[in-house]
Every structure is written in C-alpha cells, then in structure tokens.
Amino acid sequence: MTHAAEPHDGVPAGRLNWLRAGVLGANDGIVSTAGLVVGVAGATLSLAAIATAGVAGVVAGAVSMALGEYVSVSSQRDSERALLARERSELAAFPEEELAELATLYEAKGLTAATARQVALELTARDAFAAHADVELRIDPDALTNPWHAAGASAVAFTAGSLLPLIAILLPPPGLRLPVTVAVVVVALAVTGAVSAVLGSAGVARAVARLVGGGALAMAVTFGIGQLVGAAVG
C-alpha cells in the first residue's frame, strides 16, 4: 500500500529545492542590505544618503544574484546536455554494450543478474535513452534546469528580502531608525532561519541562532565602520 500523503513522483522535491533557494536568497537580501543601510546610518543622518545607498544596494544585489544564478545554472545545463548527447551517441553506436551496462547498473542496486537483465531489456524496449538518463546519468531530459527561471527567482527573492531593512530604516524618525531596523531584521532572520531549518529537516533553534547571530554581527560591524568613516571624512 502507498501512503496518500507521501510524494512518489519527485515533483515536490523539486519544488522544495526552489523554495529553499528562495528562502536563502531572501536571507542574503536581508543581511546585505541591512548591513549596508546600517553602515551608512552610522556615518550620516541624511535620509537621502541612506535611501540612495539602500536602493543602489538592492538593485546591485539583485542583478548580481540573478547573473550569478544564470551563469551557474547555464553551466550546469550545458553539462547536462553534453552528457545526454554523448549517451545518445553511445546508444546508437553500441546498443548491446549499453544494454549490458544498464543491466549491470541495476544489478549493482541489488537485483539478481537475471532480474537486472530482464528489467534492462524491458526498459530498453520502452525507451532506452530515458532509462540510461535516469539510472546512469540521474538526469531527466524533460526537466533540465532553466537558467532564466533560476535568475528570476534569485532576483525576486533577494529583492523581497532587501525591502524589509530598507523600509524599516526609511520610515521611522531619526531617533528610531536603528532600533526599528535591528528589530525588523532580527525577526526576519529568525523567520527565514526557521523556514530553512524546516525545509532542510534541521534543528530550528540552531538555524535561527546562527542567522540572527550572523546578521547582528554584520550590522554591528558595518555600523562601527560607518561611524569611523563618517568621523574621519566629516
């Protein structure tokens, strides 16, 4: 019997990876933008300067994240395509050898030689290329990574995370900018840490403490540097 709530088609795992990547992208946006605006706030009380630096940081960070994801995923996709092309060529040139290889792969998974041979024969008769892509390469030819999707998701996630500290430091009066920003960032990091821990089946408390501690340290360092630079320049 199968469990009704248990996924068996692999799609939920793929969505889980995208969600985890989105949470991590948002976390990057929160920490980097918070550090930037807090650092500038340590150097000056000018709202225009803080806003300019914050907006520039959001745009630059989103573009950088998107470009990095696009290049990375494009390289992965190129490698997958090259592997699949080579597999097609080998199937066309050496069908018997590839059949034996497929049987060996299934035998290595624990099947008897006779059963592995029969499975390989049936899968080869149905779709030899798909069988080898799955077992030998662990690639789904119909679900290759999309660099544009990855780039867009990364940019959106980073921007969403960046807007929290940016809004938090721009809306309050001067005397409340830093405490409000720190509070918002701490809460946001705690939430993203908890979500990432749940998605990764890890300890929530440790993940939250790690993110909140790292974010707080980043803000403290950039604020201190901002004050030093502001005093030196001013």
Side-chain angles (χ1 to χ4, degrees):
M1 294 180 62
T2 60
H3 303 288
E6 183 179 353
H8 294 279
D9 57 3
V11 175
R15 291 176 181 172
L16 190 64
N17 287 335
W18 277 106
L19 184 56
R20 184 181 295 113
V23 170
L24 294 176
N27 176 71
D28 287 342
I30 294 169
V31 174
S32 62
T33 304
L36 177 61
V37 296
V38 167
V40 176
T44 178
L45 294 177
S46 170
L47 188 62
I50 297 173
T52 300
V55 172
V58 172
V59 174
V63 171
S64 176
M65 291 285 289
L67 181 60
E69 278 296 306
Y70 180 82
V71 171
S72 175
V73 175
S74 292
S75 298
Q76 178 183 343
R77 187 182 180 93
D78 290 343
S79 297
E80 291 173 342
R81 284 175 168 172
L83 289 171
L84 291 172
R86 185 176 67 182
E87 193 61 37
R88 283 187 185 276
S89 176
E90 291 176 349
L91 283 168
F94 312 106
E96 290 301 322
E97 289 83 349
E98 288 297 302
L99 175 62
E101 180 184 34
L102 187 61
T104 300
L105 290 172
Y106 276 108
E107 189 174 349
K109 289 178 177 291
L111 299 181
T112 64
T115 302
R117 174 77 179 179
Q118 185 61 33
V119 169
L121 284 170
E122 293 184 13
L123 290 177
T124 297
R126 180 179 180 182
D127 191 336
F129 176 66
H132 280 268
D134 177 39
V135 179
E136 183 178 349
L137 304 179
R138 301 183 185 278
I139 298 174
D140 183 353
D142 297 323
L144 296 182
T145 51
N146 189 312
W148 289 107
H149 289 171
S154 181
V156 169
F158 182 92
T159 302
S162 297
L163 290 178
L164 292 173
L166 182 59
I167 293 173
I169 205 165
L170 293 181
L171 293 184
L176 295 177
R177 285 175 188 165
L178 288 179
V180 169
T181 302
V182 170
V184 168
V185 169
V186 166
V187 172
L189 290 177
V191 171
T192 56
V195 172
S196 64
V198 171
L199 293 177
S201 300
V204 173
R206 180 177 296 181
V208 169
R210 187 164 49 230
L211 283 183
V212 170
L217 178 62
M219 288 187 288
V221 170
T222 55
F223 180 75
I225 292 175
Q227 284 194 316
L228 291 175
V229 173
V233 174

